[in-house]
Amino acid sequence: MSKVVVVTSGKGGVGKTTTSASISTGLALKGYKVAVIDFDVGLRNLDLIMGCERRVVYDFVNVVQGEASLKQALIKDKRVPSLFILAASQTRDKDALTKEGVGKVIEDLKADGFDYIVCDSPAGIEKGAQLALYFADEAIIVTNPEVSSVRDSDRILGILQAKSKRAEEGEDPIVEHLVITRYNPARVEAGEMLSVDDVIDLLSVPFLGVIPESEQVLNASNSGLPVILETESDAAEAYEDVVARFLGEEREQRFLTEEKKGLFKKLFGR
């Protein structure tokens, strides 16, 4: 049975698109057929992170408005065969998306046998963000360990609980998950960031894991590579853990405390 998963937050710049790219890639690596949709009409970043920007001919808006078929617009990932990307439009307005049009695209993806449909939401609470979450079965709330980011995520939780299709039709609520990005245990220790416990207490959402603050995330994005594919990277391992936990696997939480350097590491920087 297909599941629609929205990756969302209230605040921009917290790592939603990076998370959407890595989680959709991670699910596909597990053998699932996955489509990831960029809902950020007018900006369009997902295709850059996925490394397929030069292959975009038709986009999400073209499909919604009947200007192209879904098969024409879906881009098959070159590295993971069961992963497909539906890019956003850079030239249209967010009003180009309609609830009926988005619903039809999602139903067509389900009919095509996709196991997971990952919706990469734009920031904020405007129309694009609300459409991204409207059809969701599950939600991954992405937040940084900062008060403003957590506060905005709390606002999104209220919208998930009140304005989704499930809420309107009185069905079981959207299943919520929490991912904390750009986590730095040393800064938490210094009182410069909220701790994991602080964030969980404030949001009361089941916790999937932290993604450590890392230059590797930016480097991978600039290279058109979902960071989960960046081997021997802490961020890649963290996203792999998050995907496993999302699928119900029990894994010990990692990257929550600062690594203590032994004498060898202090001397040689390794």
Side-chain angles (χ1 to χ4, degrees):
M1 183 178 173
S2 299
K3 282 189 179 179
V4 181
V5 182
V6 63
V7 179
T8 186
S9 76
K11 192 172 184 289
V14 299
K16 279 188 304 297
T17 300
T18 297
T19 299
S20 296
S22 282
I23 285 180
S24 57
T25 302
L27 289 168
L29 287 169
K30 295 279 190 183
Y32 295 100
K33 187 178 181 183
V34 182
V36 55
I37 306 175
D38 189 348
F39 274 78
D40 205 352
V41 175
L43 291 178
R44 200 174 93 183
N45 288 316
L46 179 66
D47 56 307
L48 291 171
I49 290 178
M50 301 297 291
C52 64
E53 69 277 8
R54 294 179 184 174
R55 298 169 60 201
V56 177
V57 178
Y58 295 108
D59 57 49
F60 189 19
V61 171
N62 292 139
V63 179
V64 166
Q65 298 199 339
E67 299 162 351
S69 70
L70 187 56
K71 286 186 178 179
Q72 285 177 299
L74 282 173
I75 300 169
K76 187 175 182 177
D77 190 85
K78 289 182 176 180
R79 296 157 297 215
V80 189
S82 61
L83 176 61
F84 294 79
I85 301 100
L86 185 54
S89 171
Q90 281 184 304
T91 58
R92 304 290 186 96
D93 187 83
K94 287 179 171 59
D95 289 334
L97 294 181
T98 64
K99 189 180 290 185
E100 295 75 18
V102 171
K104 184 178 185 309
V105 169
I106 287 174
E107 287 306 312
D108 287 349
L109 287 167
K110 289 179 178 180
D112 282 347
F114 282 88
D115 299 301
Y116 286 97
I117 300 157
V118 178
C119 302
D120 179 26
S121 173
I125 57 172
E126 40 69 40
K127 183 178 179 181
Q130 291 195 24
L131 282 175
L133 65 82
Y134 183 75
F135 296 96
D137 302 305
E138 304 199 32
I140 295 173
I141 294 91
V142 181
T143 189
N144 294 156
E146 302 165 358
V147 172
S148 62
S149 181
V150 174
R151 181 188 61 194
D152 289 347
S153 294
D154 197 32
R155 193 175 181 189
I156 283 292
L157 288 170
I159 294 172
L160 284 168
Q161 292 157 8
K163 293 192 175 182
S164 68
K165 185 171 184 284
R166 284 176 168 270
E168 286 181 1
E169 296 182 355
E171 297 179 5
D172 291 338
I174 291 173
V175 178
E176 298 163 348
H177 311 273
L178 174 65
V179 172
I180 303 174
T181 53
R182 295 180 182 164
Y183 195 76
N184 186 324
R187 293 184 64 190
V188 173
E189 195 72 27
E192 298 171 2
M193 281 184 171
L194 297 174
S195 70
V196 166
D197 289 342
D198 291 334
V199 177
I200 293 172
D201 285 347
L202 288 165
L203 295 180
S204 300
V205 174
F207 177 54
L208 286 179
V210 301
I211 310 302
E213 192 172 45
S214 170
E215 287 184 7
Q216 293 159 331
V217 174
L218 180 60
N219 292 341
S221 297
N222 287 339
S223 302
L225 184 76
V227 72
I228 197 169
L229 296 176
E230 192 72 76
T231 55
E232 299 181 9
S233 151
D234 285 353
E237 291 180 20
Y239 272 119
E240 206 271 324
D241 283 351
V242 162
V243 170
R245 293 188 196 106
F246 176 78
L247 292 172
E249 186 178 324
E250 291 286 336
R251 289 204 180 184
E252 185 180 353
Q253 292 288 348
R254 299 192 286 167
F255 311 110
L256 300 184
T257 56
E258 187 177 9
E259 182 184 355
K260 302 298 183 185
K261 287 189 176 182
L263 180 60
F264 182 84
K265 288 188 177 181
K266 287 179 180 177
L267 291 173
F268 296 98
R270 293 183 181 180

